[in-house]
């Protein structure tokens, strides 16, 4: 089981930027898929962005404002978020998909108006 730890969350004003990081406890494979999901109170967990060796994918709500990247040598996944909106407020979770899914504990992102 891969352990994932997110960091970089917190409180930010609308229009600001934030970069989330997710560090895996062991090496991440280049063929694996990793992603960021988020869940707001009373809502279902939804995909924000994902990345594989060949492509990236973004939710319509964040396209143009977010960029997902990974550093396989440091076992780290990143999510750069710009032009943040109050609607982006949620707990963000890191996902590592390789044979079995591994989830991080989640980190709070709060965007004030």
């Amino acid at each position: 089981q891969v352990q994932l730890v997110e960091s970089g969350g917190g409180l930010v004003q609308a229009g600001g930027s934030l970069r989330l990081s997710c560090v895996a406890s062991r090496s991440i494979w280049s063929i694996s898929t990793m992603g960021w999901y988020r869940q707001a109170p009373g809502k279902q967990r939804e995909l924000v962005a994902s990345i594989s060796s060949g492509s990236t994918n973004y939710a319509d709500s964040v396209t143009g404002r977010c960029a997902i990247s990974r550093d396989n040598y440091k076992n780290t996944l990143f999510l750069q978020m710009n032009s943040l909106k109050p609607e982006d407020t949620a707990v963000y979770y890191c996902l590592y998909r390789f044979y079995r899914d591994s989830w991080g504990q989640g980190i709070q992102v709060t965007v004030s108006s």
Side-chain angles (χ1 to χ4, degrees), residues 50-112:
S50 64
I51 184 171
S52 65
S53 59
S55 65
T56 57
N57 184 52
Y58 297 93
D60 291 340
S61 60
V62 303
T63 296
R65 300 190 296 117
C66 294
I68 188 171
S69 61
R70 61 195 288 176
D71 185 340
N72 293 330
Y73 298 105
K74 294 186 178 297
N75 305 327
T76 305
L77 177 73
F78 302 97
L79 181 66
Q80 178 68 43
M81 300 188 290
N82 303 314
S83 301
L84 286 165
K85 306 174 181 179
E87 304 92 274
D88 294 318
T89 296
V91 175
Y92 285 70
Y93 298 88
C94 175
L95 170 68
Y96 176 60
R97 181 163 288 166
F98 185 73
Y99 182 62
R100 291 188 178 187
D101 291 350
S102 296
W103 292 92
Q105 63 185 12
I107 188 166
Q108 179 71 46
V109 170
T110 302
V111 184
S112 62

Side-chain angles (χ1 to χ4, degrees), residues 2 4 20 69 103 106:
V2 177
L4 304 172
L20 303 182
S69 61
W103 292 92

